[in-house]
Amino acid sequence: MGYTAENQIPIPDYYQSLGTRQPKTNNYLMNTSFRFIMDKSPNMVWFCQRVNIPDFSLNAIEQPTRFGARSFKAGDKYNFGDLNISFLVDENMDNYLELHDWLRSCANLEDTTEFEGREKFTTDAELIIVNSAYRPVRSIRFKELIPESLGSVDFDSTTGETEPIIVDASFKFVTYEIKPI
Protein backbone atom coordinates (compact mmCIF):
# COMPACT_ATOMS: atom_id res chain seq x y z
CA MET A 1 0.00 0.00 0.00
CA GLY A 2 1.23 3.47 -0.84
CA TYR A 3 0.86 6.58 1.30
CA THR A 4 0.03 10.18 0.50
CA ALA A 5 2.08 13.16 1.60
CA GLU A 6 1.70 14.41 5.18
CA ASN A 7 -1.41 12.68 6.44
CA GLN A 8 -0.14 9.19 5.70
CA ILE A 9 -3.54 8.04 4.44
CA PRO A 10 -3.16 4.61 2.85
CA ILE A 11 -4.15 4.43 -0.84
CA PRO A 12 -4.18 1.05 -2.57
CA ASP A 13 -1.47 0.70 -5.19
CA TYR A 14 -4.15 -0.08 -7.76
CA TYR A 15 -5.33 3.53 -7.67
CA GLN A 16 -1.84 4.97 -7.87
CA SER A 17 -0.85 3.22 -11.08
CA LEU A 18 -1.10 5.56 -14.08
CA GLY A 19 -1.82 2.65 -16.40
CA THR A 20 -5.11 1.88 -14.68
CA ARG A 21 -6.36 5.47 -14.86
CA GLN A 22 -5.67 6.16 -18.52
CA PRO A 23 -8.01 4.94 -21.28
CA LYS A 24 -6.53 2.80 -24.04
CA THR A 25 -7.58 5.38 -26.63
CA ASN A 26 -8.43 9.06 -26.60
CA ASN A 27 -10.54 8.77 -29.75
CA TYR A 28 -14.30 8.56 -29.53
CA LEU A 29 -16.67 6.47 -31.61
CA MET A 30 -17.88 8.37 -34.66
CA ASN A 31 -21.36 7.92 -36.12
CA THR A 32 -19.96 7.55 -39.65
CA SER A 33 -17.53 4.75 -38.77
CA PHE A 34 -19.48 1.67 -39.84
CA ARG A 35 -20.26 -0.74 -42.62
CA PHE A 36 -23.46 -2.80 -42.69
CA ILE A 37 -23.59 -6.12 -44.53
CA MET A 38 -26.72 -8.22 -44.90
CA ASP A 39 -26.37 -11.69 -46.42
CA LYS A 40 -29.77 -11.65 -48.11
CA SER A 41 -29.39 -8.12 -49.51
CA PRO A 42 -25.90 -7.60 -50.97
CA ASN A 43 -26.91 -4.37 -52.75
CA MET A 44 -27.41 -2.72 -49.36
CA VAL A 45 -23.70 -2.46 -48.48
CA TRP A 46 -22.84 0.79 -50.26
CA PHE A 47 -26.20 2.51 -49.78
CA CYS A 48 -26.77 2.12 -46.03
CA GLN A 49 -26.89 5.56 -44.41
CA ARG A 50 -27.98 4.79 -40.84
CA VAL A 51 -28.10 1.73 -38.63
CA ASN A 52 -28.52 1.28 -34.91
CA ILE A 53 -27.34 -1.14 -32.27
CA PRO A 54 -30.72 -2.01 -30.77
CA ASP A 55 -31.51 -1.50 -27.12
CA PHE A 56 -30.95 -4.48 -24.85
CA SER A 57 -32.74 -5.15 -21.58
CA LEU A 58 -33.32 -7.88 -19.04
CA ASN A 59 -36.69 -8.38 -17.40
CA ALA A 60 -36.46 -8.06 -13.65
CA ILE A 61 -38.47 -10.45 -11.49
CA GLU A 62 -40.01 -9.10 -8.32
CA GLN A 63 -39.45 -11.37 -5.35
CA PRO A 64 -42.32 -11.02 -2.89
CA THR A 65 -41.42 -10.28 0.71
CA ARG A 66 -43.54 -9.80 3.78
CA PHE A 67 -41.81 -6.51 4.48
CA GLY A 68 -42.54 -3.16 2.83
CA ALA A 69 -39.42 -3.19 0.67
CA ARG A 70 -39.59 -4.64 -2.82
CA SER A 71 -36.83 -6.99 -3.91
CA PHE A 72 -35.84 -7.62 -7.54
CA LYS A 73 -33.77 -10.42 -9.04
CA ALA A 74 -32.28 -10.88 -12.49
CA GLY A 75 -34.92 -11.90 -14.98
CA ASP A 76 -35.27 -14.95 -17.15
CA LYS A 77 -35.16 -13.47 -20.66
CA TYR A 78 -33.56 -10.73 -22.72
CA ASN A 79 -35.46 -8.19 -24.74
CA PHE A 80 -34.01 -6.69 -27.90
CA GLY A 81 -35.27 -3.61 -29.67
CA ASP A 82 -35.67 -3.47 -33.44
CA LEU A 83 -32.75 -3.19 -35.81
CA ASN A 84 -33.48 -0.09 -37.90
CA ILE A 85 -31.66 0.93 -41.04
CA SER A 86 -31.99 3.80 -43.51
CA PHE A 87 -30.64 3.41 -47.01
CA LEU A 88 -30.41 5.30 -50.27
CA VAL A 89 -32.48 3.70 -53.02
CA ASP A 90 -30.38 3.08 -56.11
CA GLU A 91 -31.77 4.31 -59.45
CA ASN A 92 -32.78 0.80 -60.55
CA MET A 93 -34.40 0.17 -57.16
CA ASP A 94 -32.42 -3.06 -56.81
CA ASN A 95 -31.75 -2.70 -53.07
CA TYR A 96 -35.35 -1.66 -52.38
CA LEU A 97 -36.73 -4.62 -54.35
CA GLU A 98 -34.43 -7.05 -52.51
CA LEU A 99 -36.06 -6.07 -49.21
CA HIS A 100 -39.53 -5.75 -50.75
CA ASP A 101 -39.44 -9.24 -52.25
CA TRP A 102 -38.00 -10.70 -49.04
CA LEU A 103 -40.73 -9.09 -46.91
CA ARG A 104 -43.38 -10.22 -49.37
CA SER A 105 -42.13 -13.83 -49.30
CA CYS A 106 -42.50 -13.93 -45.50
CA ALA A 107 -46.29 -13.90 -45.70
CA ASN A 108 -48.79 -15.53 -48.01
CA LEU A 109 -50.22 -12.43 -49.66
CA GLU A 110 -51.94 -13.79 -52.75
CA ASP A 111 -51.66 -17.56 -52.99
CA THR A 112 -49.55 -20.46 -51.79
CA THR A 113 -46.93 -20.04 -54.52
CA GLU A 114 -45.38 -17.13 -52.60
CA PHE A 115 -44.82 -19.22 -49.48
CA GLU A 116 -41.24 -20.37 -48.87
CA GLY A 117 -39.74 -22.55 -46.17
CA ARG A 118 -38.95 -21.08 -42.73
CA GLU A 119 -35.18 -21.13 -43.32
CA LYS A 120 -35.61 -18.77 -46.29
CA PHE A 121 -37.33 -16.10 -44.18
CA THR A 122 -34.29 -15.21 -42.11
CA THR A 123 -30.74 -14.07 -42.76
CA ASP A 124 -27.74 -12.93 -40.78
CA ALA A 125 -26.28 -9.43 -40.89
CA GLU A 126 -23.11 -7.82 -39.65
CA LEU A 127 -22.35 -4.30 -38.50
CA ILE A 128 -18.63 -3.59 -38.69
CA ILE A 129 -17.37 -0.73 -36.54
CA VAL A 130 -14.16 0.97 -37.69
CA ASN A 131 -11.82 3.17 -35.67
CA SER A 132 -10.48 6.64 -36.51
CA ALA A 133 -7.89 5.06 -38.84
CA TYR A 134 -10.75 3.27 -40.68
CA ARG A 135 -9.62 -0.14 -39.48
CA PRO A 136 -12.27 -2.63 -38.29
CA VAL A 137 -12.30 -3.00 -34.52
CA ARG A 138 -15.65 -4.64 -33.65
CA SER A 139 -18.11 -6.90 -35.38
CA ILE A 140 -21.75 -7.02 -34.33
CA ARG A 141 -23.35 -10.13 -35.82
CA PHE A 142 -27.17 -10.25 -35.87
CA LYS A 143 -28.68 -13.74 -36.05
CA GLU A 144 -31.85 -14.71 -37.92
CA LEU A 145 -33.07 -11.31 -39.08
CA ILE A 146 -36.56 -11.09 -40.47
CA PRO A 147 -37.99 -7.91 -42.00
CA GLU A 148 -40.77 -6.23 -40.08
CA SER A 149 -41.38 -3.13 -42.15
CA LEU A 150 -40.16 -1.31 -45.23
CA GLY A 151 -40.73 2.42 -45.52
CA SER A 152 -42.34 4.23 -48.40
CA VAL A 153 -40.60 5.64 -51.46
CA ASP A 154 -41.65 9.27 -51.69
CA PHE A 155 -41.39 11.12 -55.00
CA ASP A 156 -41.78 14.92 -54.97
CA SER A 157 -41.58 17.14 -58.07
CA THR A 158 -42.10 20.36 -56.07
CA THR A 159 -38.61 20.47 -54.57
CA GLY A 160 -36.08 22.89 -56.05
CA GLU A 161 -33.13 20.51 -55.78
CA THR A 162 -32.76 16.87 -56.64
CA GLU A 163 -32.42 14.83 -53.46
CA PRO A 164 -31.74 11.12 -53.10
CA ILE A 165 -34.57 8.98 -51.79
CA ILE A 166 -33.92 7.47 -48.36
CA VAL A 167 -36.06 4.58 -47.11
CA ASP A 168 -36.26 3.11 -43.61
CA ALA A 169 -36.49 -0.59 -42.82
CA SER A 170 -37.02 -2.38 -39.53
CA PHE A 171 -36.03 -5.93 -38.58
CA LYS A 172 -36.61 -8.37 -35.75
CA PHE A 173 -33.85 -10.80 -34.82
CA VAL A 174 -33.08 -13.59 -32.37
CA THR A 175 -29.82 -12.31 -30.84
CA TYR A 176 -26.61 -10.45 -31.57
CA GLU A 177 -22.96 -10.84 -30.57
CA ILE A 178 -20.32 -8.14 -30.26
CA LYS A 179 -16.80 -9.41 -30.94
CA PRO A 180 -13.42 -7.81 -31.50
CA ILE A 181 -11.92 -8.13 -34.96
Side-chain angles (χ1 to χ4, degrees):
M1 271 232 180
Y3 292 94
T4 60
E6 300 170 7
N7 296 336
Q8 302 296 313
I9 300 170
I11 298 174
D13 292 333
Y14 173 79
Y15 293 114
Q16 291 184 358
S17 170
L18 291 177
T20 59
R21 292 189 286 165
Q22 298 298 319
K24 291 180 183 178
T25 181
N26 292 334
N27 300 329
Y28 50 88
L29 184 63
M30 308 227 329
N31 62 348
T32 57
S33 302
F34 73 93
R35 187 167 185 193
F36 185 69
I37 302 165
M38 193 178 331
D39 297 346
K40 201 171 193 81
S41 183
N43 289 319
M44 191 64 60
V45 174
W46 298 110
F47 295 100
C48 188
Q49 300 294 297
R50 285 185 288 277
V51 65
N52 70 323
I53 300 174
D55 57 285
F56 176 61
S57 63
L58 177 67
N59 287 345
I61 298 174
E62 185 174 355
Q63 180 178 357
T65 64
R66 58 180 154 162
F67 307 109
R70 296 168 49 183
S71 176
F72 292 95
K73 303 295 179 195
D76 59 345
K77 67 178 181 175
Y78 299 117
N79 291 319
F80 298 106
D82 292 343
L83 173 66
N84 299 309
I85 66 170
S86 297
F87 62 96
L88 293 169
V89 178
D90 68 273
E91 66 180 3
N92 295 326
M93 296 182 65
D94 291 335
N95 56 1
Y96 178 83
L97 290 173
E98 281 177 343
L99 292 179
H100 175 271
D101 294 344
W102 178 21
L103 182 61
R104 190 176 171 94
S105 72
C106 291
N108 186 5
L109 298 178
E110 294 177 4
D111 59 24
T112 58
T113 60
E114 290 188 16
F115 183 76
E116 295 181 10
R118 159 96 172 103
E119 66 279 353
K120 295 187 180 182
F121 291 161
T122 63
T123 191
D124 291 344
E126 186 173 22
L127 175 61
I128 298 172
I129 309 296
V130 297
N131 63 12
S132 58
Y134 299 103
R135 291 192 177 99
V137 292
R138 297 272 186 253
S139 168
I140 303 167
R141 187 81 179 161
F142 296 93
K143 304 283 185 174
E144 297 186 34
L145 256 71
I146 190 164
E148 182 180 40
S149 69
L150 180 61
S152 62
V153 176
D154 299 323
F155 295 98
D156 185 1
S157 65
T158 63
T159 59
E161 297 179 20
T162 303
E163 297 177 4
I165 293 177
I166 298 177
V167 173
D168 298 324
S170 180
F171 300 88
K172 295 288 188 187
F173 57 94
V174 173
T175 188
Y176 67 85
E177 298 175 327
I178 302 175
K179 294 184 177 183
I181 295 180

